């Protein structure tokens, strides 16, 4: 009886393999996890939280309140655990509270745009749910606009290097669509005209975003 069962199993294996190949050919099989030498396009959106206040004309003022962050990334998987890519992001902070500016009241509006080369270290790359750590470095542009009650305004700009550190959780919706969450610590260097105006040579903020992407 045992020999008969063994012979039956051995005979069934080729048939099972043939059936699997036939199914894949006609219907396709979902393949989860990160695949080598594939590219992903990812779209981000979420919130940005400013972390610093400014020392302006003897007052401590905020450059803005909690705002939004949005971005686009192209990521290439060059191995099971390592990915590299390009990332573009813009964070806009909500208008600050008014403060005294001479004989008038004024308020600030600020934004930061960055373009970076990024790298990711992927954990559990063969699984449909994955953790990863990410870092990036590149160029950042920051502006702060001071607007007075009479409608006049003045803007200070700075373009210099920028960097970020982050971590994320993502999972495969199917074999081509990815959904996830990512948090970042962001840092941008400020030129002398910026530091002279506001007393800071660097600015940092936090962002938390949802992402959706597709791979091909």
């Amino acid at each position: 009886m045992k020999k008969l069962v063994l012979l039956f199993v051995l005979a069934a294996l080729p048939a099972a393999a043939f059936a699997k190949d036939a199914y894949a050919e006609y219907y396709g099989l979902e393949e989860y996890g990160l695949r080598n030498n594939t590219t992903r396009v990812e779209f981000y959106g979420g919130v940005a939280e400013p972390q610093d206040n400014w020392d302006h004309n003897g007052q401590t003022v905020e450059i803005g309140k909690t705002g939004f962050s949005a971005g686009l990334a192209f990521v290439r998987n060059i191995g099971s655990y390592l990915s590299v890519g390009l990332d573009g992001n813009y964070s806009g902070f909500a208008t600050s509270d008014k403060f005294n500016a001479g004989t008038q009241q004024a308020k600030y509006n600020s934004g930061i745009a960055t373009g970076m080369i990024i790298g990711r270290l992927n954990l559990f790359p063969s699984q449909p749910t994955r953790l990863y750590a990410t870092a990036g470095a590149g160029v950042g542009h920051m502006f702060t606009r001071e607007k007075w009650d009479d409608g006049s305004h003045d803007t200070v700009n700075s373009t210099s290097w920028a960097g970020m550190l982050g971590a994320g959780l993502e999972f495969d919706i199917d074999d081509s669509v990815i959904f996830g969450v990512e948090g970042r610590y962001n840092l941008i260097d400020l030129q002398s005209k910026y530091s002279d105006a506001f007393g800071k040579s660097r600015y940092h903020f936090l962002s938390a975003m949802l992402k959706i992407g597709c791979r091909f």
Side-chain angles (χ1 to χ4, degrees), residues 126-194:
S126 62
Q127 302 300 315
T129 301
R130 299 173 295 276
L131 293 169
Y132 63 88
T134 183
V139 177
H141 176 80
M142 183 174 183
F143 77 88
T144 296
R145 179 175 295 112
E146 184 177 7
K147 186 174 182 180
W148 291 274
D149 284 340
D150 63 4
S152 61
H153 61 83
D154 184 36
T155 302
V156 179
N157 297 280
S158 174
T159 301
S160 187
W161 69 269
M164 70 87 175
L165 294 173
L169 172 67
E170 65 181 19
F171 63 90
D172 298 327
I173 296 178
D174 56 29
D175 60 351
S176 61
V177 180
I178 296 169
F179 181 79
V181 295
E182 182 173 310
R184 295 183 178 182
Y185 165 80
N186 306 275
L187 177 68
I188 183 171
D189 193 56
L190 301 175
Q191 295 176 327
S192 58
K193 60 183 178 181
Y194 224 108

Side-chain angles (χ1 to χ4, degrees), residues 11 27 168 198 215:
Y27 299 100
F198 297 107
R215 58 185 181 180

